[in-house]
Amino acid sequence: MLNNIKEIEISEAMFETDNFPVISSTTLLKEAIEEMTKYNIGIACIVDKKDLLGVFTDGDLRRLLLSHQKPFPALFNDDVSTYMTKNPSIIQKSSSIFEAMNLINEKKIWDLPVVENKKLIGLVNLHTLVKYINKKWKL
């Protein structure tokens, strides 16, 4: 039934860049968290001229709060780039939904930035993939 899932490009099931937080490296941590809350998603992609520099996730926030002794107001005024994951897992636009699902499973992550020539062009997450598969095959 799902035989051709290896042939479906990830671009069919991804969020476009205007549907998730895409921020600059100088965005304050507080503003990054506000953007993540606005979009109701646990990741913000940090870019410079559309080049993906890193990501900041809910998990990064938890680890930050547990490992730093700074007061919250001081943390909130730091640039998000101070705490971002600099080499996140990514997937190429030409990759398949099957490859994305395998990478998400292997890395035990929820979200994958989609890139083309190092430029951020979208985002997939576990929920969007499951929703796409359910809709496509009426599971």
Side-chain angles (χ1 to χ4, degrees), residues 66-139:
L66 292 172
S67 65
H68 285 70
Q69 298 302 311
K70 284 173 112 174
F72 288 157
L75 284 174
F76 288 161
N77 286 314
D78 288 345
D79 289 345
V80 70
S81 61
T82 306
Y83 307 109
M84 72 181 179
T85 299
K86 293 186 173 104
N87 292 308
S89 297
I90 59 169
I91 195 156
Q92 299 296 318
K93 179 187 175 201
S94 60
S95 299
S96 71
I97 288 175
F98 182 77
E99 291 169 298
M101 289 172 37
N102 282 337
L103 188 55
I104 285 171
N105 186 47
E106 174 189 322
K107 299 289 185 175
K108 296 179 179 23
I109 56 177
W110 289 93
D111 305 287
L112 270 176
V114 180
V115 297
E116 184 175 42
N117 300 321
K118 298 183 183 180
K119 305 282 185 208
L120 178 69
I121 61 160
L123 179 80
V124 293
N125 69 20
L126 186 56
H127 297 292
T128 58
L129 293 174
V130 169
K131 184 177 179 180
Y132 179 83
I133 290 168
N134 280 335
K135 183 178 178 183
K136 182 89 172 163
W137 283 278
K138 296 174 178 64
L139 299 177

Coordinates of all heavy atoms in Angstrom, one line a residue, residues 66-139:
L66 N 18.4 24.1 32.7 CA 19.0 23.2 33.7 C 20.5 23.4 33.9 O 21.1 23.1 34.9 CB 18.7 21.8 33.4 CG 17.3 21.3 33.5 CD1 17.1 19.9 32.9 CD2 16.8 21.4 34.9
S67 N 21.2 24.0 32.9 CA 22.6 24.1 32.9 C 23.2 25.4 33.2 O 24.4 25.6 33.6 CB 23.2 23.6 31.6 OG 22.9 24.4 30.6
H68 N 22.4 26.5 33.1 CA 22.9 27.9 33.4 C 22.3 28.4 34.6 O 21.2 28.2 34.9 CB 22.6 28.8 32.2 CG 23.5 28.5 31.0 ND1 23.4 27.4 30.2 CD2 24.5 29.2 30.4 CE1 24.2 27.4 29.3 NE2 24.9 28.5 29.4
Q69 N 23.2 29.2 35.3 CA 22.7 29.7 36.6 C 22.4 31.2 36.5 O 22.1 31.8 37.5 CB 23.9 29.6 37.6 CG 24.2 28.1 37.9 CD 23.0 27.3 38.4 OE1 22.3 27.7 39.3 NE2 22.7 26.2 37.8
K70 N 22.3 31.7 35.3 CA 21.9 33.1 35.1 C 20.4 33.3 35.4 O 19.6 32.4 35.2 CB 22.1 33.5 33.6 CG 23.5 33.8 33.2 CD 23.5 34.0 31.7 CE 23.9 35.4 31.3 NZ 24.0 35.6 29.9
P71 N 20.0 34.4 35.9 CA 18.6 34.7 36.1 C 17.9 34.7 34.8 O 18.5 35.1 33.7 CB 18.5 36.1 36.8 CG 19.9 36.4 37.2 CD 20.9 35.5 36.4
F72 N 16.6 34.3 34.8 CA 15.8 34.3 33.5 C 15.9 35.6 32.7 O 16.1 35.5 31.5 CB 14.4 33.9 33.8 CG 14.1 32.5 34.1 CD1 13.0 32.2 34.8 CD2 15.0 31.5 33.8 CE1 12.8 30.8 35.2 CE2 14.8 30.2 34.2 CZ 13.7 29.8 34.9
P73 N 15.7 36.8 33.3 CA 15.8 38.0 32.5 C 17.1 38.1 31.8 O 17.2 38.6 30.7 CB 15.6 39.1 33.6 CG 14.8 38.5 34.7 CD 15.3 37.1 34.7
A74 N 18.2 37.7 32.4 CA 19.5 37.8 31.8 C 19.6 36.8 30.6 O 20.1 37.2 29.5 CB 20.6 37.5 32.8
L75 N 19.1 35.6 30.8 CA 19.1 34.6 29.7 C 18.2 35.2 28.5 O 18.6 35.0 27.3 CB 18.5 33.3 30.1 CG 19.4 32.4 31.0 CD1 18.6 31.2 31.5 CD2 20.6 32.0 30.2
F76 N 17.1 35.7 28.8 CA 16.1 36.1 27.8 C 16.7 37.3 26.9 O 16.2 37.5 25.8 CB 14.8 36.6 28.4 CG 14.0 35.4 29.0 CD1 13.0 35.7 29.9 CD2 14.2 34.1 28.6 CE1 12.2 34.7 30.4 CE2 13.4 33.1 29.1 CZ 12.4 33.4 30.0
N77 N 17.7 38.0 27.5 CA 18.3 39.1 26.7 C 19.5 38.7 25.9 O 20.1 39.5 25.2 CB 18.6 40.2 27.6 CG 17.3 41.0 28.0 OD1 16.5 41.2 27.2 ND2 17.2 41.2 29.3
D78 N 19.9 37.4 25.9 CA 21.0 36.9 25.1 C 20.5 36.6 23.7 O 19.3 36.3 23.5 CB 21.6 35.6 25.7 CG 22.3 35.8 27.0 OD1 22.7 37.0 27.3 OD2 22.6 34.8 27.7
D79 N 21.4 36.7 22.7 CA 21.1 36.3 21.4 C 20.8 34.8 21.3 O 21.6 34.0 22.0 CB 22.2 36.6 20.4 CG 22.4 38.1 20.2 OD1 21.5 38.9 20.5 OD2 23.5 38.5 19.6
V80 N 19.9 34.4 20.6 CA 19.5 33.0 20.4 C 20.7 32.2 19.9 O 20.9 31.0 20.2 CB 18.3 32.8 19.6 CG1 18.5 33.1 18.1 CG2 17.7 31.4 19.8
S81 N 21.6 32.8 19.1 CA 22.7 32.1 18.5 C 23.7 31.6 19.6 O 24.4 30.6 19.4 CB 23.5 33.0 17.6 OG 24.0 34.1 18.2
T82 N 23.6 32.2 20.8 CA 24.5 31.7 21.9 C 24.1 30.3 22.3 O 25.0 29.5 22.8 CB 24.3 32.6 23.1 OG1 24.6 34.0 22.7 CG2 25.2 32.3 24.3
Y83 N 22.9 29.9 22.1 CA 22.4 28.6 22.6 C 21.8 27.7 21.6 O 21.4 26.6 21.8 CB 21.2 28.9 23.7 CG 21.7 29.8 24.8 CD1 21.2 31.1 24.8 CD2 22.6 29.4 25.7 CE1 21.6 32.0 25.8 CE2 23.0 30.3 26.7 CZ 22.5 31.6 26.8 OH 22.9 32.4 27.7
M84 N 21.9 28.1 20.3 CA 21.4 27.3 19.2 C 22.2 26.0 19.0 O 23.4 26.0 19.3 CB 21.3 28.1 17.9 CG 22.6 28.4 17.3 SD 22.3 29.4 15.8 CE 24.0 29.6 15.2
T85 N 21.6 25.0 18.4 CA 22.3 23.9 17.9 C 22.9 24.2 16.5 O 22.2 24.5 15.6 CB 21.4 22.7 17.8 OG1 20.8 22.4 19.1 CG2 22.1 21.4 17.2
K86 N 24.2 24.2 16.4 CA 24.9 24.8 15.3 C 25.0 23.8 14.1 O 25.1 24.3 12.9 CB 26.3 25.3 15.6 CG 26.3 26.5 16.5 CD 27.6 27.0 16.8 CE 27.5 28.3 17.6 NZ 27.9 28.2 18.9
N87 N 24.9 22.5 14.3 CA 24.9 21.6 13.2 C 23.7 20.6 13.3 O 23.9 19.5 13.6 CB 26.2 20.8 13.2 CG 27.4 21.6 12.9 OD1 27.4 22.3 11.9 ND2 28.4 21.6 13.8
P88 N 22.5 21.2 13.0 CA 21.4 20.3 13.2 C 21.2 19.3 12.1 O 21.8 19.4 11.0 CB 20.2 21.4 13.1 CG 20.7 22.4 12.2 CD 22.2 22.5 12.5
S89 N 20.5 18.3 12.4 CA 20.1 17.3 11.3 C 19.2 18.1 10.3 O 18.4 18.9 10.7 CB 19.3 16.2 11.9 OG 20.1 15.4 12.8
I90 N 19.5 17.8 9.1 CA 18.7 18.4 8.0 C 18.4 17.4 6.9 O 18.9 16.3 7.0 CB 19.5 19.6 7.3 CG1 20.8 19.0 6.7 CG2 19.8 20.7 8.3 CD1 21.6 20.0 5.8
I91 N 17.5 17.8 6.0 CA 17.2 16.9 4.9 C 17.1 17.7 3.7 O 16.7 18.9 3.7 CB 15.9 16.1 5.2 CG1 15.8 15.0 4.2 CG2 14.7 17.0 5.2 CD1 14.9 13.8 4.6
Q92 N 17.6 17.2 2.6 CA 17.6 17.9 1.3 C 16.2 17.9 0.7 O 15.4 16.9 0.8 CB 18.6 17.2 0.3 CG 20.0 17.2 0.8 CD 20.6 18.6 0.9 OE1 20.4 19.5 0.1 NE2 21.3 18.9 2.0
K93 N 15.9 18.9 -0.1 CA 14.6 19.0 -0.8 C 14.3 17.8 -1.6 O 13.2 17.3 -1.8 CB 14.5 20.3 -1.6 CG 13.2 20.4 -2.3 CD 13.3 21.6 -3.3 CE 12.0 21.7 -4.1 NZ 12.1 22.4 -5.3
S94 N 15.3 17.2 -2.3 CA 15.1 16.1 -3.2 C 14.9 14.8 -2.5 O 14.7 13.8 -3.1 CB 16.4 16.0 -4.1 OG 17.5 15.8 -3.3
S95 N 15.1 14.8 -1.2 CA 14.9 13.5 -0.4 C 13.4 13.1 -0.3 O 12.5 14.0 -0.6 CB 15.4 13.7 1.0 OG 16.8 14.0 1.0
S96 N 13.2 11.9 0.0 CA 11.8 11.4 0.1 C 11.2 11.5 1.5 O 12.0 11.6 2.5 CB 11.8 9.9 -0.4 OG 12.4 9.1 0.6
I97 N 9.9 11.3 1.6 CA 9.3 11.3 2.9 C 9.8 10.1 3.7 O 10.0 10.2 4.9 CB 7.7 11.1 2.7 CG1 7.2 12.5 2.2 CG2 7.0 10.7 3.9 CD1 5.7 12.5 1.8
F98 N 10.1 9.0 3.0 CA 10.6 7.8 3.6 C 11.9 8.1 4.3 O 12.2 7.7 5.4 CB 10.7 6.7 2.6 CG 11.2 5.4 3.1 CD1 10.4 4.5 3.9 CD2 12.5 5.0 2.9 CE1 10.9 3.3 4.4 CE2 13.0 3.8 3.4 CZ 12.2 3.0 4.1
E99 N 12.8 8.8 3.6 CA 14.1 9.2 4.1 C 14.0 10.1 5.3 O 14.7 9.9 6.3 CB 15.0 9.8 3.1 CG 15.4 8.9 2.0 CD 16.0 9.6 0.8 OE1 15.3 10.4 0.1 OE2 17.2 9.4 0.5
A100 N 13.0 11.0 5.3 CA 12.8 11.9 6.4 C 12.3 11.1 7.6 O 12.8 11.4 8.7 CB 11.8 13.0 6.0
M101 N 11.4 10.2 7.4 CA 10.9 9.4 8.5 C 12.0 8.6 9.2 O 12.1 8.5 10.4 CB 9.8 8.5 8.1 CG 8.5 9.3 7.8 SD 7.2 8.4 7.0 CE 7.2 6.8 7.7
N102 N 12.9 8.0 8.3 CA 14.0 7.2 8.9 C 15.0 8.1 9.6 O 15.4 7.7 10.7 CB 14.7 6.5 7.7 CG 14.0 5.3 7.3 OD1 13.2 4.7 8.0 ND2 14.2 4.9 6.0
L103 N 15.2 9.3 9.2 CA 16.2 10.2 9.8 C 15.6 10.7 11.2 O 16.3 10.7 12.2 CB 16.5 11.4 8.9 CG 17.6 12.3 9.4 CD1 18.9 11.6 9.7 CD2 17.9 13.4 8.4
I104 N 14.3 11.0 11.2 CA 13.6 11.4 12.4 C 13.7 10.3 13.4 O 14.0 10.5 14.6 CB 12.2 11.9 12.1 CG1 12.2 13.2 11.4 CG2 11.3 11.9 13.4 CD1 10.8 13.7 10.9
N105 N 13.4 9.1 13.0 CA 13.5 7.9 13.9 C 14.9 7.7 14.4 O 15.1 7.5 15.6 CB 12.9 6.7 13.2 CG 12.8 5.5 14.1 OD1 12.3 5.6 15.2 ND2 13.3 4.4 13.6
E106 N 15.9 7.7 13.5 CA 17.3 7.4 13.8 C 17.8 8.4 14.8 O 18.5 8.1 15.8 CB 18.1 7.4 12.6 CG 19.6 7.3 12.8 CD 20.4 7.5 11.5 OE1 19.9 7.1 10.4 OE2 21.4 8.2 11.6
K107 N 17.5 9.7 14.6 CA 18.1 10.8 15.4 C 17.2 11.1 16.7 O 17.6 11.9 17.5 CB 18.2 12.1 14.6 CG 19.2 12.0 13.4 CD 20.6 11.9 13.9 CE 21.5 11.9 12.7 NZ 22.9 11.9 13.1
K108 N 16.0 10.5 16.7 CA 15.1 10.7 17.8 C 14.8 12.1 18.0 O 14.9 12.7 19.1 CB 15.6 10.1 19.1 CG 15.8 8.6 19.0 CD 16.3 8.0 20.3 CE 16.5 6.5 20.3 NZ 16.6 5.7 19.1
I109 N 14.4 12.8 16.9 CA 14.0 14.2 16.8 C 12.6 14.3 16.3 O 12.0 13.3 15.7 CB 15.0 15.0 16.0 CG1 15.1 14.4 14.6 CG2 16.4 15.0 16.7 CD1 16.0 15.2 13.7
W110 N 12.0 15.5 16.4 CA 10.7 15.8 15.9 C 10.7 16.5 14.6 O 9.8 16.4 13.8 CB 9.9 16.6 16.9 CG 9.5 15.8 18.1 CD1 10.2 15.7 19.3 CD2 8.4 14.9 18.3 NE1 9.6 14.9 20.2 CE2 8.4 14.4 19.6 CE3 7.3 14.6 17.5 CZ2 7.5 13.6 20.1 CZ3 6.3 13.8 18.0 CH2 6.4 13.3 19.3
D111 N 11.7 17.4 14.4 CA 11.7 18.4 13.3 C 12.9 18.3 12.5 O 14.0 18.0 13.0 CB 11.6 19.8 13.9 CG 10.4 20.0 14.8 OD1 9.3 20.0 14.3 OD2 10.6 20.0 16.0
L112 N 12.7 18.5 11.1 CA 13.9 18.5 10.2 C 13.8 19.7 9.3 O 12.8 19.8 8.5 CB 13.8 17.2 9.3 CG 14.5 16.0 9.8 CD1 14.3 14.8 8.8 CD2 16.0 16.2 10.0
P113 N 14.8 20.6 9.3 CA 14.8 21.6 8.3 C 15.1 21.0 7.0 O 15.8 20.1 6.8 CB 16.0 22.5 8.8 CG 16.2 22.2 10.2 CD 15.8 20.8 10.4
V114 N 14.4 21.6 6.0 CA 14.6 21.2 4.6 C 15.4 22.2 3.9 O 15.1 23.4 3.9 CB 13.2 21.0 3.9 CG1 13.4 20.5 2.4 CG2 12.3 20.0 4.6
V115 N 16.5 21.8 3.3 CA 17.4 22.7 2.6 C 17.6 22.4 1.2 O 17.4 21.2 0.7 CB 18.8 22.8 3.4 CG1 18.6 23.3 4.8 CG2 19.5 21.4 3.3
E116 N 18.0 23.4 0.4 CA 18.4 23.2 -1.0 C 19.6 24.2 -1.2 O 19.5 25.4 -1.0 CB 17.3 23.6 -1.9 CG 17.6 23.3 -3.4 CD 16.4 23.5 -4.3 OE1 15.6 24.5 -4.0 OE2 16.2 22.7 -5.2
N117 N 20.7 23.6 -1.5 CA 22.0 24.4 -1.7 C 22.2 25.2 -0.4 O 22.5 26.4 -0.5 CB 21.9 25.3 -2.9 CG 21.7 24.5 -4.2 OD1 22.3 23.4 -4.3 ND2 20.9 25.0 -5.1
K118 N 22.1 24.6 0.7 CA 22.4 25.3 2.1 C 21.3 26.3 2.5 O 21.4 26.9 3.5 CB 23.8 25.9 2.1 CG 24.9 24.9 2.0 CD 26.2 25.5 2.1 CE 27.3 24.5 1.9 NZ 28.7 25.1 2.0
K119 N 20.4 26.6 1.6 CA 19.3 27.5 1.9 C 18.1 26.8 2.5 O 17.7 25.8 2.0 CB 18.8 28.2 0.6 CG 19.9 28.9 -0.2 CD 20.3 30.2 0.4 CE 21.3 30.9 -0.5 NZ 22.2 31.8 0.2
L120 N 17.6 27.4 3.6 CA 16.4 26.9 4.2 C 15.2 27.1 3.3 O 14.9 28.3 3.0 CB 16.2 27.6 5.6 CG 15.0 27.1 6.4 CD1 15.1 25.7 6.9 CD2 14.7 28.1 7.5
I121 N 14.5 26.1 3.0 CA 13.3 26.2 2.2 C 12.0 25.7 2.8 O 10.9 25.9 2.3 CB 13.5 25.6 0.8 CG1 13.7 24.1 0.9 CG2 14.6 26.2 0.0 CD1 13.4 23.3 -0.4
G122 N 12.2 25.0 3.9 CA 11.0 24.4 4.6 C 11.4 23.6 5.9 O 12.5 23.6 6.3
L123 N 10.3 23.0 6.4 CA 10.5 22.2 7.6 C 9.5 21.1 7.6 O 8.3 21.3 7.2 CB 10.2 23.1 8.8 CG 10.3 22.4 10.2 CD1 11.8 22.3 10.6 CD2 9.6 23.2 11.2
V124 N 9.9 19.9 8.0 CA 9.0 18.8 8.2 C 9.1 18.4 9.7 O 10.2 18.5 10.3 CB 9.2 17.6 7.3 CG1 8.9 17.9 5.9 CG2 10.6 17.0 7.4
N125 N 8.0 17.9 10.2 CA 8.1 17.3 11.5 C 7.3 16.0 11.5 O 6.6 15.7 10.5 CB 7.7 18.3 12.6 CG 6.3 18.7 12.6 OD1 5.4 18.0 12.1 ND2 6.0 19.8 13.3
L126 N 7.4 15.3 12.6 CA 6.7 14.0 12.6 C 5.2 14.1 12.4 O 4.6 13.3 11.7 CB 7.0 13.4 14.0 CG 6.6 11.9 14.2 CD1 7.1 11.0 13.1 CD2 6.9 11.5 15.6
H127 N 4.6 15.2 13.0 CA 3.2 15.3 12.9 C 2.8 15.6 11.4 O 1.8 15.1 10.9 CB 2.7 16.5 13.7 CG 2.9 16.2 15.2 ND1 2.2 15.3 15.9 CD2 3.7 16.8 16.1 CE1 2.6 15.3 17.1 NE2 3.5 16.2 17.3
T128 N 3.5 16.4 10.7 CA 3.2 16.7 9.3 C 3.3 15.5 8.4 O 2.5 15.3 7.5 CB 4.0 17.9 8.7 OG1 5.4 17.5 8.8 CG2 3.8 19.2 9.4
L129 N 4.3 14.7 8.7 CA 4.5 13.4 7.9 C 3.4 12.5 8.2 O 2.8 11.9 7.2 CB 5.9 12.8 8.3 CG 7.1 13.6 7.8 CD1 8.4 12.9 8.3 CD2 7.1 13.7 6.3
V130 N 3.0 12.3 9.4 CA 1.9 11.3 9.8 C 0.6 11.9 9.1 O -0.1 11.1 8.5 CB 1.8 11.2 11.3 CG1 0.5 10.4 11.6 CG2 3.0 10.4 11.8
K131 N 0.4 13.2 9.3 CA -0.8 13.8 8.7 C -0.9 13.6 7.2 O -1.9 13.2 6.6 CB -0.9 15.2 9.0 CG -2.1 15.9 8.6 CD -2.1 17.4 9.1 CE -3.3 18.1 8.6 NZ -3.3 19.5 9.0
Y132 N 0.3 13.8 6.5 CA 0.3 13.6 5.1 C 0.1 12.2 4.7 O -0.7 11.9 3.7 CB 1.7 14.1 4.5 CG 1.8 13.9 3.0 CD1 1.3 14.8 2.2 CD2 2.4 12.7 2.5 CE1 1.4 14.7 0.8 CE2 2.5 12.6 1.2 CZ 2.0 13.5 0.3 OH 2.1 13.3 -1.1
I133 N 0.7 11.2 5.4 CA 0.5 9.8 5.0 C -1.0 9.4 5.3 O -1.5 8.7 4.4 CB 1.5 9.0 5.8 CG1 2.9 9.2 5.3 CG2 1.1 7.5 5.8 CD1 4.0 8.6 6.2
N134 N -1.5 9.8 6.4 CA -2.9 9.5 6.7 C -3.8 10.0 5.6 O -4.8 9.4 5.1 CB -3.4 10.1 8.0 CG -2.9 9.2 9.2 OD1 -2.7 8.0 9.0 ND2 -2.8 9.8 10.3
K135 N -3.6 11.3 5.1 CA -4.4 11.9 4.1 C -4.2 11.2 2.8 O -5.2 10.9 2.0 CB -4.1 13.4 4.0 CG -5.0 14.1 3.0 CD -4.6 15.6 3.0 CE -5.4 16.4 2.0 NZ -5.0 17.8 1.9
K136 N -3.0 11.0 2.4 CA -2.6 10.4 1.1 C -3.2 9.0 0.9 O -3.7 8.6 -0.1 CB -1.1 10.4 0.9 CG -0.6 9.9 -0.4 CD -0.6 11.0 -1.4 CE 0.1 10.5 -2.6 NZ -0.1 11.3 -3.7
W137 N -3.1 8.2 2.0 CA -3.5 6.8 1.9 C -4.8 6.5 2.7 O -5.1 5.3 2.9 CB -2.4 5.9 2.3 CG -1.3 5.7 1.2 CD1 -1.4 4.9 0.2 CD2 -0.1 6.5 1.1 NE1 -0.3 5.1 -0.6 CE2 0.5 6.1 -0.1 CE3 0.5 7.5 1.9 CZ2 1.7 6.6 -0.5 CZ3 1.7 8.0 1.5 CH2 2.3 7.5 0.3
K138 N -5.4 7.5 3.2 CA -6.7 7.4 3.9 C -6.6 6.3 5.0 O -7.4 5.4 5.0 CB -7.8 7.2 3.0 CG -8.0 8.4 2.1 CD -9.1 8.1 1.0 CE -9.4 9.2 0.1 NZ -8.4 9.7 -0.7
L139 N -5.6 6.4 5.8 CA -5.4 5.4 6.9 C -6.3 5.6 8.1 O -6.6 6.7 8.4 CB -3.9 5.3 7.3 CG -2.9 5.0 6.2 CD1 -1.5 5.1 6.8 CD2 -3.2 3.6 5.7

